[in-house]
Amino acid sequence: MSEMPLLQVKNLHTSFFTDAGEVKAVNGISYNLDAGKVLGIVGESGSGKSVSAYSVLRILTDTGRVKEGEVLFKGENILKYSEQQMQKFRGSRISIIFQDPMTCLNPTFSIGSQLREAIRIHTDRNKEEIQARALEMLQLVGVNEPEKRLKQYPHELSGGMRQRVMIAMALACEPDILIADEPTTALDVTIQAQILELMQDLQRKLGMAIIMITHDLGVIADMCDEIIVMYGGKVCERGTADEIFYNPRHEYTKGLIRSIPRISEKHEKLIPISGSPVDLLNLPKGCAFAARCDHAMKICLEQPPEEVRVNDFHIAACWNNVKQMMDEAKDGEET
Amino acid sequence: MSDYNPNIPPKKRPFSLQLDPAKFEPATDEEKAQQEVMRESTTFFRDGMRKLFHNPLAVGSMIVLLVILVTIVIAPLIVPYSYSGMITVDGKRDKSAKNLPPFTYSKLEQQAIDNGETVFPHIFGTDELCRDYFIRVIYGARVSLSVGFFASLIVLIIGLLYGSIAGYAGGRTDLIMMRIVDIIYSLPDTLMVILLSVVLDQLLGQSLQNTALASIGPNMLSMFAVFGLLYWVGMARLVRGQILSIKNNEYVLAAQAMGAKPGRIIRRHILPNCMSVIIISTALQIPSAIFTESFLSFIGLGVQAPMPSLGSLANSARQALQAYPYKMIFPAVGICLIVLSFNLLGDGLRDAFDPKLRK
Amino acid sequence: MDMTERKRKERQLIATTVLALVIFAAGLLFLPILTEKILLGAVLVLIAGALFFTNNTGRYVCKRILLAFLTIFIIAAITFFTMNAIPGGPFSKEKAPSAAVQAVLEERFHLNEPVGKQFLLYLEGLMQGNFGISTKTGREISTTIFDSFSISAKLGGMAALLAIVLGVLLGSIAALNRAKAADRVIIFFTTLFVAVPSFIMATLLLLVFCLQLNWFPIFSTENQSYVLPVIALMLSPMSYITRLTKTSMLDVLGQDYIRTARAKGVKQWLVIFKHALRNALIPVITYVGPMTAYILTGSMVVESVFTTGGLGTKFVQGITNRDYPMIMGTTIFLAMLMVTATLLSDLVYKLVDPRIDFD
């Protein structure tokens, strides 16, 4: 911990101010990301995982606002940056790729013009160099016939190809961090694996850090150094992938793991998490997950759980975890 | 992984917290249920109505239209003048009541008032033929509104029938029917309206004489004929498109798969889903018909004199614009108010009921 | 040939066609050189193109131009036959004042030929820019049309240009300042202007600025002030474009690719004027056809109000005088312009939006 982490997010709160009221999408999340590491953020839709990423880049829609917190990039709070500084920052230091490659490329501009724009903004290369760089990037992300693709329009490419173009665009200026917001959700399963493999491959080659946002715990299991599980705009549990998978301490994480299909146990039934996601307009005063939790206790409804260290590699915010630890401690005293 | 260090390490161990063990009892389902603040569930129609009545512009225009409607129904019963005849005082035609400004009386009327009689005021003054202008504007609004209403009705009926036949039948029938629509659609409508009005005016003018329809006037009839011939194509396209898109929707397929009968599918799935769009489009058709009517009246192809319409009143006011500007203002404001109200109401209906705009 | 190369070629083809059409239309206006043989040849080439072109774009362009020709033909047919049906119309034999005049008329209009032959002769005349002779003034209608059209073209051109430029600008401003003061002011006025018919707008402008305030002189040959007529003509389409641009701009600004552009670090104004506007303009392009029709018909009343003596004035005069050949000629001429404008806007639309599948 002596070295400063590349990115520090401290106590981030983001809300959307709509006609219906204040939608509290992110309610105080914190994390650190070291250079070259992969951080996974997992949660269902509406858990605030995407919004927390957009807050970092400050690309929220006009109703959204970061209310509280700091985002330190190499020690500098980028939430304090002016819009001009931010424009230089986006794409060159932190890049992002989005969920649906079908809608994320501008339909009226060719692939080449969108890719060249990404390069031109942050460099002072001349036309030929930009063109060469664009070609190089397409080759890097494994697009076949790159020269032809540059002239094509987004609708002429398949979903997987477009996501590769998005990745090429994001990495064109060699950012320190790549945020991947559900990069494979909208793709076919076979393409999903290809894209994930590509990202791992590029991460090894280029050495950038990745924030991997997904609702699918299985997808990111073997690629993340650390995993954060989010629910209702808060962190439920965080730790190494092994800890999260084999020693989950939050009831929500346990539910998530139970709902992953496994090939080994043939006749085991999948157990879904019942109920619907928490209403961000009216957050309950206790734990956000309590209403859907099978093991909810009285305290869960009254008091939000605090983050408690389970071991060196694992922190959880669940009253059941606290109870378990207290019971263990009591047993220890008795024996 | 031994160097792993979860960030923001909370130093708290569970024992440092002051906690009441009683609270670690399992919570009951009722307690949990209280947490879930369910949003009120409403039907499509009720939700739409709520939205409509929360839209101040839509409510305002409904009130304006209601006031106009009540005025044009009641005013002729109260105002003792006719739209076509000269003002009379004690049975004599009052030739001095020419071009009076609002709320003034002619010499004869003044004498009558001095004699203790009550004379109903000329709220908008009088015109160059000694007729009460207020009652003419009222009748003009009646004519304009009924043209708008009936024209939209004609468009709705023809368009609905044609479009739904094409949509249901599909295949070759649909193809041929829609090609006809395409061709009519590509004709410049205002020009065709003018042309047909010119022709029908001449054709109907003679054959109508001495029939019951003569009082409506050939121009009025030709205008309805024109709407029936030309303007329905937009509605037909809309209806067909709606039916086709709904017919192929997953929920209709699902209903079919569950064994719902065609009648039920039409009643429960197709009609409610395209009704809102059709109603909105009809509401927006009314101002456009009023627009066309006033345009035709303005270039001399409108209703038959002495029957006034707002457009023809505005047109005749042009002759003495500088001397009597108020004669222009009243019908002009009338048209704008009616068209504006219908536009805003249509927009409000669309915002409230159009399924495409709902999230 | 691979797909990209072909798509590029197809786009070039449309661009060339648009250019050719513009030249063709200009040629039609100023040099009536077209003969039936050239036209027939062109139609045959287009039919061949529609049948045998290997790419969709070529087929689409050919079909679209053929449809335009068909529309003009249908309009000419409707115009001719309805005019023929009028009792006491231009072609009836009892109308002529004397036997000598009757003979001349018969000679000129080929009245002794069967109706079908007459129509063909009329069409032949049309193709050579010969619209017949006015029954009131005895002048060549084509001369009247081409003389007065220069005024209308100036007026309409300025109005169209201003409507598009200002409409897009105001619409973008409204969208970017959603729910703020600028948006509310713009939407308030545009909603109002959409509801005001152009003849009322023209009359009110004339009343206030010419007659009351004396800011602008009344239009005359020495004093050609186009300011007020242009304003009267452009306010309504401008308002429509403003609302259209606002809606589509808001839609586009919510799209994912705008977020992508911002995430790339594109400057805010470039995001709006490069990435958003290009997509937001697509619906505006489709409105150019209807707008041309609106401005051409609107100019009839606006020119009458301001007495600018353009083609619109001549048309309204023709209607008032029941000058049937004049009405026919002008209708067909205006219809040609409108059909051409719709054709152009359709083709440009396909050019701007690469997603459109040509079929």
Side-chain angles (χ1 to χ4, degrees):
Chain A
M1 282 299 283
S2 57
E3 261 179 70
M4 187 194 293
L6 185 62
L7 181 75
Q8 279 178 289
V9 174
K10 289 184 181 168
N11 195 27
L12 187 74
H13 285 77
T14 303
S15 287
F16 291 90
F17 296 88
T18 66
D19 298 336
E22 182 186 345
V23 178
K24 292 178 185 145
V26 177
N27 301 295
I29 74 159
S30 310
Y31 56 82
N32 290 356
L33 178 65
D34 290 322
K37 296 281 185 208
V38 180
L39 168 71
I41 301 183
V42 185
E44 59 190 32
S45 37
S47 62
K49 53 193 193 308
S50 298
V51 175
S52 65
Y54 298 168
S55 306
V56 169
L57 272 178
R58 287 170 53 191
I59 49 172
L60 298 163
T61 51
D62 17 317
T63 49
R65 216 174 65 216
V66 177
K67 286 202 307 180
E68 215 185 307
E70 286 181 333
V71 177
L72 304 177
F73 181 80
K74 292 183 177 166
E76 263 189 86
N77 188 357
I78 57 174
L79 293 181
K80 293 247 155 52
Y81 274 14
S82 70
E83 185 55 35
Q84 273 80 6
Q85 282 175 297
M86 215 46 220
Q87 280 161 6
K88 288 207 188 82
F89 183 84
R90 293 185 196 121
S92 65
R93 307 265 66 96
I94 302 183
S95 286
I96 186 165
I97 58 176
F98 298 105
Q99 176 175 356
D100 191 354
M102 297 295 172
T103 56
C104 284
L105 289 166
N106 194 327
T108 53
F109 288 94
S110 67
I111 301 292
S113 106
Q114 297 187 52
L115 192 52
R116 283 193 297 269
E117 183 182 39
I119 302 166
R120 190 168 52 236
I121 293 169
H122 300 293
T123 57
D124 43 10
R125 294 177 218 221
N126 64 30
K127 261 191 167 174
E128 287 76 38
E129 286 168 344
I130 290 174
Q131 179 72 10
R133 176 72 180 157
L135 266 178
E136 186 194 334
M137 284 316 296
L138 282 190
Q139 274 156 357
L140 187 68
V141 296
V143 169
N144 60 343
E145 300 181 81
E147 273 161 62
K148 194 179 103 188
R149 302 288 177 203
L150 283 178
K151 284 185 203 150
Q152 285 184 320
Y153 286 87
H155 69 280
E156 297 169 72
L157 269 60
S158 69
M161 276 301 152
R162 284 188 232 182
Q163 196 61 292
R164 285 172 195 265
V165 171
M166 281 296 291
I167 294 173
M169 227 156 73
L171 298 182
C173 297
E174 294 169 354
D176 297 311
I177 301 173
L178 173 69
I179 301 176
D181 182 11
E182 308 222 21
T184 59
T185 309
L187 302 174
D188 288 346
V189 180
T190 47
I191 311 291
Q192 276 187 14
Q194 287 175 16
I195 294 288
L196 286 175
E197 208 170 294
L198 171 71
M199 289 181 66
Q200 269 176 300
D201 192 36
L202 289 172
Q203 199 246 343
R204 271 195 297 273
K205 269 189 211 159
L206 306 174
M208 76 273 182
I210 294 180
I211 299 178
M212 191 79 180
I213 298 171
T214 181
H215 66 268
D216 190 346
L217 205 49
V219 163
I220 55 165
D222 57 340
M223 98 179 254
C224 293
D225 297 304
E226 187 191 348
I227 291 177
I228 293 179
V229 181
M230 280 183 74
Y231 187 82
K234 282 186 180 170
V235 173
C236 301
E237 190 162 16
R238 63 174 79 208
T240 57
D242 281 348
E243 279 288 329
I244 297 290
F245 268 91
Y246 300 114
N247 186 21
R249 287 305 183 104
H250 194 288
E251 291 303 316
Y252 177 61
T253 319
K254 290 178 192 169
L256 275 184
I257 290 170
R258 276 199 297 270
S259 61
I260 299 174
R262 277 160 221 257
I263 301 167
S264 54
E265 287 145 78
K266 265 184 191 163
H267 298 292
E268 199 187 13
K269 255 191 168 178
L270 287 181
I271 305 165
I273 302 176
S274 62
S276 52
V278 63
D279 184 358
L280 294 170
L281 266 170
N282 311 294
L283 278 178
K285 67 176 177 185
C287 172
F289 186 63
R292 295 169 70 186
C293 181
D294 291 333
H295 303 279
M297 299 174 293
K298 291 202 163 58
I299 191 169
C300 299
L301 302 174
E302 288 165 14
Q303 212 174 324
E306 286 175 64
E307 293 197 331
V308 171
R309 184 176 284 274
V310 179
N311 58 38
D312 285 349
F313 315 113
H314 196 166
I315 291 171
C318 179
W319 288 119
N320 274 305
N321 174 44
V322 173
K323 185 166 177 255
Q324 190 184 340
M325 287 174 80
M326 287 198 309
D327 290 347
E328 279 166 11
K330 216 182 280 171
D331 291 348
E333 272 169 36
E334 274 166 20
T335 49
Chain B
M1 282 279 197
S2 60
D3 62 332
Y4 176 75
N5 214 338
N7 6 93
I8 333 290
K11 289 285 174 238
K12 277 176 214 151
R13 305 295 293 185
F15 320 105
S16 63
L17 297 165
Q18 293 299 312
L19 292 169
D20 177 7
K23 287 192 173 164
F24 282 77
E25 297 292 312
T28 60
D29 283 349
E30 291 87 69
E31 282 173 321
K32 282 206 268 184
Q34 282 177 355
Q35 290 274 308
E36 291 210 69
V37 190
M38 288 299 288
R39 281 192 221 163
E40 206 185 335
S41 73
T42 54
T43 63
F44 177 79
F45 180 74
R46 213 185 302 157
D47 188 40
M49 287 310 266
R50 193 187 56 81
K51 268 193 195 158
L52 187 64
F53 282 100
H54 277 76
N55 181 346
L57 284 176
V59 174
S61 44
M62 270 191 277
I63 292 171
V64 168
L65 286 175
L66 211 64
V67 168
I68 292 176
L69 211 63
V70 168
T71 317
I72 62 173
V73 169
I74 291 180
L77 304 174
I78 297 171
V79 180
Y81 303 112
S82 89
Y83 70 86
S84 55
M86 257 189 187
I87 290 163
T88 52
V89 178
D90 301 329
K92 273 183 283 179
R93 297 169 99 200
D94 182 3
K95 285 201 178 140
S96 60
K98 200 171 163 184
N99 289 328
L100 292 175
F103 286 106
T104 50
Y105 299 99
S106 67
K107 277 182 202 150
L108 275 179
E109 283 173 329
Q110 200 58 51
Q111 285 169 8
I113 292 169
D114 292 342
N115 293 340
E117 289 174 44
T118 50
V119 173
F120 199 85
H122 305 296
I123 300 169
F124 290 172
T126 60
D127 69 359
E128 69 283 352
L129 292 173
C130 311
R131 295 175 294 199
D132 184 74
Y133 203 56
F134 177 68
I135 201 74
R136 282 185 68 73
V137 171
I138 291 293
Y139 270 90
R142 267 187 171 193
V143 169
S144 292
L145 269 177
S146 39
V147 166
F149 184 74
F150 283 111
S152 306
L153 202 66
I154 292 171
V155 166
L156 177 68
I157 291 170
I158 299 179
L160 200 60
L161 282 178
Y162 195 96
S164 41
I165 290 172
Y168 280 125
R172 191 175 289 267
T173 324
D174 178 38
L175 193 77
I176 294 169
M177 286 177 89
M178 288 335 273
R179 279 293 162 276
I180 296 172
V181 166
D182 282 347
I183 288 174
I184 298 180
Y185 200 80
S186 64
L187 300 177
D189 44 15
T190 321
L191 275 183
M192 291 295 112
V193 168
I194 295 172
L195 191 73
L196 288 182
S197 300
V198 170
V199 176
L200 290 175
D201 181 27
Q202 296 293 313
L203 282 180
L204 293 172
Q206 290 173 351
S207 53
L208 274 183
Q209 268 165 8
N210 304 321
T211 62
L213 291 171
S215 62
I216 305 177
N219 277 348
M220 214 46 157
L221 284 178
S222 62
M223 212 151 10
F224 289 139
V226 161
F227 272 94
L229 284 172
L230 289 177
Y231 279 71
W232 56 271
V233 285
M235 182 64 80
R237 272 190 167 182
L238 186 83
V239 171
R240 173 184 170 269
Q242 284 286 313
I243 285 176
L244 277 189
S245 75
I246 293 168
K247 219 166 73 174
N248 295 327
N249 245 324
E250 275 88 356
Y251 58 81
V252 173
L253 294 179
Q256 278 170 342
M258 283 189 288
K261 292 196 178 72
R264 186 182 160 79
I265 291 174
I266 292 170
R267 239 185 11 259
R268 299 282 304 170
H269 297 288
I270 296 185
L271 271 185
N273 278 297
C274 59
M275 235 29 220
S276 54
V277 177
I278 291 167
I279 290 171
I280 294 158
S281 152
T282 308
L284 289 171
Q285 185 79 56
I286 295 175
S288 108
I290 293 175
F291 238 96
T292 310
E293 186 277 329
S294 63
F295 172 78
L296 288 177
S297 291
F298 191 81
I299 60 174
L301 291 170
V303 294
Q304 202 82 348
M307 177 74 88
S309 85
L310 291 177
S312 66
L313 287 173
N315 188 28
S316 49
R318 246 175 358 116
Q319 262 86 57
L321 188 61
Q322 199 155 16
Y324 310 109
Y326 59 88
K327 281 202 223 162
M328 179 75 211
I329 304 290
F330 293 129
V333 168
I335 294 177
C336 297
L337 212 57
I338 291 173
V339 172
L340 186 64
S341 303
F342 272 112
N343 278 347
L344 290 177
L345 183 61
D347 286 353
L349 282 172
R350 192 177 48 207
D351 291 346
F353 287 106
D354 195 338
K356 267 187 249 148
L357 291 173
R358 300 165 71 87
K359 289 189 181 146
Chain C
M1 195 165 46
D2 70 48
M3 277 298 286
T4 320
E5 200 59 13
R6 209 162 81 191
K7 276 275 155 71
R8 217 167 45 80
K9 284 252 167 70
E10 287 176 7
R11 289 161 67 76
Q12 275 174 356
L13 182 73
I14 301 193
T16 326
T17 318
V18 168
L19 201 69
L21 272 173
V22 172
I23 296 169
F24 184 76
L28 197 70
L29 281 182
F30 299 107
L31 296 168
I33 47 159
L34 193 65
T35 67
E36 69 277 17
K37 289 191 185 88
I38 295 178
L39 187 74
L40 205 66
V43 168
L44 283 177
V45 167
L46 286 170
I47 291 175
L51 289 176
F52 299 114
F53 246 110
T54 45
N55 65 35
N56 286 334
T57 316
R59 270 208 301 277
Y60 173 80
V61 172
C62 290
K63 272 189 200 164
R64 193 64 194 73
I65 298 174
L66 276 178
L67 182 68
F69 275 133
L70 181 68
T71 313
I72 293 174
F73 175 79
I74 290 174
I75 292 166
I78 293 176
T79 319
F80 185 83
F81 288 109
T82 49
M83 286 295 163
N84 244 314
I86 295 175
F91 308 106
S92 73
K93 296 189 174 172
E94 313 85 56
K95 202 73 195 247
S98 72
V101 177
Q102 175 67 34
V104 173
L105 274 178
E106 278 190 15
E107 173 70 34
R108 276 220 104 110
F109 292 111
H110 312 282
L111 291 184
N112 35 17
E113 305 277 1
V115 182
K117 184 84 192 275
Q118 281 184 35
F119 178 54
L120 287 181
L121 288 169
Y122 186 74
L123 278 186
E124 201 183 319
L126 277 186
M127 279 181 252
Q128 289 150 1
N130 178 9
F131 287 82
I133 289 172
S134 162
T135 46
K136 295 290 158 179
T137 59
R139 288 181 63 200
E140 285 273 346
I141 290 167
S142 50
T143 332
T144 316
I145 289 179
F146 293 127
D147 286 351
S148 55
F149 183 64
S150 63
I151 297 176
S152 298
K154 229 187 271 175
L155 195 64
M158 278 195 274
L161 200 69
L162 275 175
I164 293 173
V165 171
L166 287 179
V168 168
L169 200 69
L170 290 174
S172 309
I173 293 174
L176 294 174
N177 296 291
R178 186 154 66 125
K180 290 188 194 145
D183 176 30
R184 285 180 205 283
V185 170
I186 289 171
I187 291 307
F188 175 81
F189 280 106
T190 50
T191 312
L192 203 66
F193 289 149
V194 166
V196 181
S198 49
F199 68 88
I200 289 186
M201 184 55 79
T203 320
L204 290 180
L205 286 175
L206 182 76
L207 181 64
V208 174
F209 294 106
C210 276
L211 302 178
Q212 305 285 337
L213 297 174
N214 280 319
W215 285 4
F216 295 98
I218 292 168
F219 197 95
S220 62
T221 34
E222 300 91 59
N223 221 327
Q224 298 193 337
S225 164
Y226 282 101
V227 178
L228 288 181
V230 166
I231 291 177
L233 209 48
M234 69 146 226
L235 274 180
S236 182
M238 181 204 80
S239 305
Y240 193 84
I241 292 177
T242 305
R243 289 155 60 93
L244 206 62
T245 310
K246 185 197 164 185
T247 321
S248 85
M249 192 74 168
L250 281 179
D251 181 46
V252 168
L253 285 178
Q255 295 287 325
D256 289 344
Y257 53 80
I258 295 302
R259 200 177 50 194
T260 309
R262 288 175 64 199
K264 278 201 291 194
V266 179
K267 291 189 183 73
Q268 187 64 28
W269 64 270
L270 262 179
V271 171
I272 291 156
F273 286 101
K274 188 177 162 194
H275 289 264
L277 199 58
R278 183 153 175 172
N279 290 284
L281 280 185
I282 290 170
V284 176
I285 292 167
T286 58
Y287 176 63
V288 169
M291 181 184 74
T292 312
Y294 180 91
I295 285 184
L296 286 174
T297 44
S299 73
M300 291 175 200
V301 290
V302 171
E303 284 177 13
S304 306
V305 170
F306 288 99
T307 58
T308 47
L311 187 56
T313 322
K314 296 283 186 281
F315 190 42
V316 176
Q317 275 169 10
I319 291 169
T320 324
N321 299 332
R322 298 289 186 260
D323 184 351
Y324 297 110
M326 183 70 204
I327 298 177
M328 281 168 75
T330 327
T331 306
I332 293 171
F333 179 77
L334 289 176
M336 279 181 190
L337 289 180
M338 291 175 192
V339 169
T340 313
T342 316
L343 176 63
L344 282 177
S345 82
D346 273 10
L347 291 181
V348 172
Y349 168 65
K350 308 271 159 174
L351 200 61
V352 172
D353 192 348
R355 280 166 301 180
I356 295 296
D357 216 16
F358 296 98
D359 187 21

